[in-house]
Amino acid sequence: QVQPVESGGGLVQAGGSLRLSCAASGRTFTGYVVGWFRQAPGKEREFVATINWSGQATDYADSVKGRFTISRDNAKNTVYLQMNSLKPEDSAIYYCASAAAIRSRQAVHYDYWGQGTQVTVSS
């Protein structure tokens, strides 16, 4: 029922920054956990970060901790992923997903997924 729509991807040099946005369509994100996942060609989808409705509880994959920051603005029905110090291995399609009741690193717990936005980090 809560359909995420991602934006903000693009091409950036190593060491640069991007901010991804995830906006809700259909209804608001009220009460929903929102997570970011990514998938590179030929690889499995992996967890990146998640945030609860209040914004007070966050979780990050070890590979991005200290470089990425997840936040949300509930008044704007939007979740953000600020990505700093980007590395070539961060290149992937980034997906935003929502879960009604579970804050989890497991993709199976998320009910609604966006179409993804491409992030490419050059050397």
Side-chain angles (χ1 to χ4, degrees):
Q1 189 173 359
V2 181
Q3 179 63 53
V5 180
E6 306 96 334
S7 63
L11 176 65
V12 65
Q13 293 182 335
S17 299
L18 285 173
R19 188 175 76 161
L20 306 184
S21 298
C22 176
S25 64
R27 56 170 292 175
T28 72
F29 280 134
T30 301
Y32 279 73
V33 169
V34 175
W36 286 96
F37 295 78
R38 67 187 184 187
Q39 187 168 23
K43 297 184 178 180
E44 294 184 342
R45 189 167 299 184
E46 65 176 347
F47 165 78
V48 176
T50 188
I51 190 168
N52 72 345
W53 180 77
S54 71
Q56 297 183 33
T58 59
D59 190 26
Y60 298 92
D62 290 341
S63 60
V64 306
K65 189 175 182 179
R67 299 188 297 120
F68 290 11
T69 302
I70 188 171
S71 62
R72 68 191 302 168
D73 186 339
N74 290 338
K76 297 181 179 180
N77 297 314
T78 302
V79 174
Y80 304 98
L81 184 68
Q82 179 67 47
M83 305 185 295
N84 298 326
S85 301
L86 284 163
K87 305 174 181 179
E89 52 263 43
D90 294 319
S91 297
I93 299 175
Y94 282 71
Y95 297 91
C96 180
S98 62
I102 301 174
R103 188 171 69 90
S104 175
R105 294 186 173 196
Q106 301 177 46
V108 68
H109 291 146
Y110 291 79
D111 300 308
Y112 303 100
W113 293 78
Q115 296 299 307
T117 185
Q118 178 70 52
V119 172
T120 303
V121 184
S122 65
S123 300

